[in-house]
Amino acid sequence: MILVSKPVLILFGTQSGNSEDLASRLAKSATTHNLTPTVVDMENATVEQMASSERILIICSTWGEGDMPDSAEALWDLISAEDAPKMENTNFSVCALGDTSYEFYCQSGKDWDNRLEEMGATRIHDRVDCDVDYEPPWKSWVPTALGSLAAIDESNNFHENLVSTFAEM
């Protein structure tokens, strides 16, 4: 069996740089899971780019009391519009960064997770919510999120039996 590398769009929204760093590290791991990553700051992404992607991973921090980081605000406004394109062919997972000392812990990531599902996208792996010490939950999210996306074939069919194989890569 010949494995064809599959594209994955990695979007990050950040205020302090942590999400950008994790997106860069995630891209390096993606290549070992037979995925070809494209890392894009949310301030440079388009709704059309998202809607045309079959595989999306989002890493987004929450700023203040549940706000989107500055770099994610414009894209969030566009994707929240009633006329935003449907995303029925999109598979996704979200890593949310936050701080439990705030009332709306990881709210931006929760909002992205819910909105993509509302638009018809398929959550291929559960969202992970990361506190200030984000490394442990992020590290546990990465292999299964990537393995799940790698287990989607060229016809956009999910092969759950392959997730653990790809996650171990």
Side-chain angles (χ1 to χ4, degrees):
M1 174 172 79
I2 297 174
L3 294 176
V4 177
S5 187
K6 302 164 209 155
V8 59
L9 177 62
I10 300 172
L11 296 173
F12 68 89
T14 191
Q15 196 73 32
S16 64
N18 291 335
S19 294
E20 181 177 12
D21 176 57
L22 293 179
S24 175
R25 291 167 50 195
L26 181 62
K28 290 176 186 167
S29 295
T31 60
T32 65
H33 289 76
N34 203 44
L35 297 166
T36 303
T38 300
V39 178
V40 180
D41 187 329
M42 286 181 175
E43 72 181 354
N44 298 320
T46 66
V47 174
E48 294 76 21
Q49 181 181 30
M50 291 180 70
S52 67
S53 298
E54 291 182 356
R55 294 166 193 83
I56 296 177
L57 293 171
I58 291 179
I59 302 174
C60 190
S61 62
T62 298
W63 183 245
E65 288 295 342
D67 297 324
M68 288 286 162
D70 291 343
S71 68
E73 282 183 26
L75 184 62
W76 176 252
D77 290 344
L78 292 171
I79 207 156
S80 297
E82 286 185 35
D83 63 348
K86 296 294 179 195
M87 298 179 70
E88 288 98 359
N89 294 319
T90 301
N91 300 281
F92 75 96
S93 186
V94 175
C95 176
L97 275 63
D99 183 336
T100 53
S101 68
Y102 289 94
E103 180 180 357
F104 298 104
Y105 170 63
C106 289
Q107 190 61 50
S108 294
K110 292 173 183 177
D111 290 345
W112 281 106
D113 189 59
N114 291 330
R115 182 62 181 147
L116 289 177
E117 186 177 54
E118 288 170 1
M119 297 175 74
T122 302
R123 183 183 301 103
I124 201 72
H125 182 60
D126 291 338
R127 181 190 74 245
V128 64
D129 295 339
C130 302
D131 199 0
V132 176
D133 182 17
Y134 53 81
E135 286 285 336
W138 178 78
K139 284 181 178 178
S140 69
W141 173 76
V142 168
T144 309
L146 290 173
S148 296
L149 290 179
I152 299 167
D153 67 20
E154 293 76 23
S155 299
N156 210 20
N157 297 309
F158 178 55
H159 299 276
E160 189 172 0
N161 60 316
L162 295 177
V163 172
S164 61
T165 302
F166 281 112
E168 292 170 5
M169 293 178 89

